[in-house]
Amino acid sequence: MVKDPVDEIPRPGPLVALGLQHVLAMYAGAVAVPLILGNAMHLSTEDIAYLINADLLISGVATILQCVGVWRFGARLPLMQGCTFAAVTPMVLIGTQGGGLPAIYGAVIVGGLFLVLFAPVFGKLVRHFPPLVTGTVILIIGLSLLPVAVSWAAGGAGAADHGAPKHLALALGVLLFILVLQRFGRGFIGRVAVLLGLALGTLVAIPLGYQGFSEIGTGPLFAVSTPFHFGLPVFELTAIVSIAVVMLVTMAETTGDVLAIGEIVKQPVDARRVADTLRADGLSTALGGVFNTFPYTAFAQNVGLVRLTRVHSRYVVAAGGVILVLLGLVPVLGRVVAAIPAPVLGGAGIAMFGAVAASGVQTLTKVSFTGNGNLAVVAASLGAGLAPVFVPTLYEQFPVWFQIIAQSGISVGCLAAVGLNLLFNGPTTTSGGVHSGLHSAD
């Protein structure tokens, strides 16, 4: 019997290389949440470094759980896990105006348990995700990530010389190198095009004067995150409600990601699989609250990498999880990865995020747009989902609870696509005469 590509285990060499490629693709996003929160709370450099180590450690554990699966926890699909950006705003408010890190961790633990319990209920909604909805959501995911990649290509947000020609030239060089390898590379070389592009781009950046490489040798060699390092958790009702709202947002985002990866690897995503995916998110989030980190969700950039490389093995991404664990335990390895310049990441990011958007377009080709309102569904959902991406300050006059939901373009676009599909096509699993390929289950 031929083994499904999702269950294939590559040889050790390719397994490590392909896993490392996934880590490099998501590293900048993985460390962003502890960096933003730590700076907002004016924590010491030592404490911020501790948050980053803890984040990488639990990101790895969460990724392994999601890919390999334990009982009813885990999608058993190639999904990379990391801290969700949806939690940043409420956590900053809790940390600076509430009870500090202990209150954040108390709310994160409760939020994770809430997600575990609520996962089966949310999983049943998957029957409302036909190709019209999944294609639109996948397209929104890709398009909403592209501005991030472009900002990296320009030097990274906050860079004094943002948009400098040398940044854009470096990013363009990395992008072209990746495309050439994908076009002409054979076998393994084509599959690790992103990894090779990141490596070559980093080497080229050194003589161009990019900073950060001198810090690799600083700091401790080993570090272990211990439970409740910043004190026992404090359970404040307001903080718990805020994080519970975040959990609803991450459920929508993770559902979009698992549907996207299901389309790419040709695996059915039913209600049970969605629930198992969300349970793993919830358990990882609760574990994060214990080990001094934050809520977890699937990372869309790695969905794009699966699409780009056509390597569907969940064990490759699980290997990336093992590498994340090592980065969390051996900080010097994390500093090596962190030295990759933003423009290099930007060149690779444009290729990966563009691949996600292209996957959404491919899914929408299964949908009929003749004699129905499907075009209106796609148009309105794209507008709603991309509005906060194009205008980040759009909702800043609204209450914080509303901003938490509305600032997530993926969640808003997902909700809009589901709602408009129900309005135009009714509560069925078909749209435009094309079956979704998604089956509900108890």
Side-chain angles (χ1 to χ4, degrees), residues 192 196 212 401:
V192 294
L196 295 176
W401 66 267

Side-chain angles (χ1 to χ4, degrees), residues 112-137:
L113 297 176
F114 163 77
L115 181 50
V116 170
L117 294 174
F118 197 70
V121 177
F122 201 87
K124 293 181 184 298
L125 299 179
V126 74
R127 66 180 181 272
H128 299 304
F129 286 79
L132 176 64
V133 173
T134 56
T136 302
V137 171

Side-chain angles (χ1 to χ4, degrees), residues 12-270:
L15 181 68
V16 172
L18 292 165
L20 177 61
Q21 186 170 238
H22 273 281
V23 171
L24 296 178
M26 59 85 70
Y27 186 86
V31 302
V33 172
L35 276 173
I36 294 169
L37 182 65
N39 284 301
M41 294 182 63
H42 304 291
L43 298 179
S44 66
T45 302
E46 182 181 352
D47 283 342
I48 293 176
Y50 194 96
L51 291 178
I52 291 173
N53 289 340
D55 173 27
L56 294 173
L57 174 65
I58 304 302
S59 287
V61 173
T63 298
I64 295 168
L65 176 63
Q66 196 69 270
C67 294
V68 177
V70 177
W71 187 52
R72 296 297 301 276
F73 293 83
R76 294 172 172 83
L77 290 173
L79 286 170
M80 203 82 174
Q81 301 292 111
C83 284
T84 174
F85 286 88
V88 171
T89 299
M91 289 195 304
V92 168
L93 291 173
I94 295 167
T96 57
Q97 302 177 18
L101 286 173
I104 290 175
Y105 293 136
V108 168
I109 292 170
V110 175
L113 297 176
F114 163 77
L115 181 50
V116 170
L117 294 174
F118 197 70
V121 177
F122 201 87
K124 293 181 184 298
L125 299 179
V126 74
R127 66 180 181 272
H128 299 304
F129 286 79
L132 176 64
V133 173
T134 56
T136 302
V137 171
I138 296 167
L139 181 57
I140 291 172
I141 291 172
L143 293 178
S144 64
L145 288 171
L146 276 172
V148 176
V150 173
S151 179
W152 287 342
D161 57 348
H162 191 268
K166 76 169 186 176
H167 298 328
L168 297 174
L170 180 58
L172 178 60
V174 171
L175 174 59
L176 292 176
F177 181 72
I178 290 171
L179 294 176
V180 167
L181 286 183
Q182 289 184 320
R183 172 63 181 86
F184 299 105
R186 293 290 180 265
F188 181 68
I189 295 297
R191 291 195 293 272
V192 294
V194 172
L195 176 61
L196 295 176
L198 290 169
L200 178 64
T202 302
L203 292 175
V204 171
I206 295 175
L208 293 178
Y210 283 88
Q211 304 298 313
F213 303 101
S214 61
E215 298 178 5
I216 292 175
T218 63
L221 183 61
F222 298 101
V224 179
S225 179
T226 55
F228 309 125
H229 174 79
F230 295 96
L232 292 176
V234 175
F235 301 97
E236 295 183 353
L237 181 60
T238 304
I240 290 171
V241 171
S242 297
I243 298 300
V245 172
V246 171
M247 292 298 99
L248 294 173
V249 174
T250 59
M251 277 191 270
E253 290 188 349
T254 294
T255 299
D257 289 332
V258 73
L259 289 170
I261 205 70
E263 286 280 340
I264 291 168
V265 304
K266 309 302 181 187
Q267 284 268 330
V269 177
D270 55 17

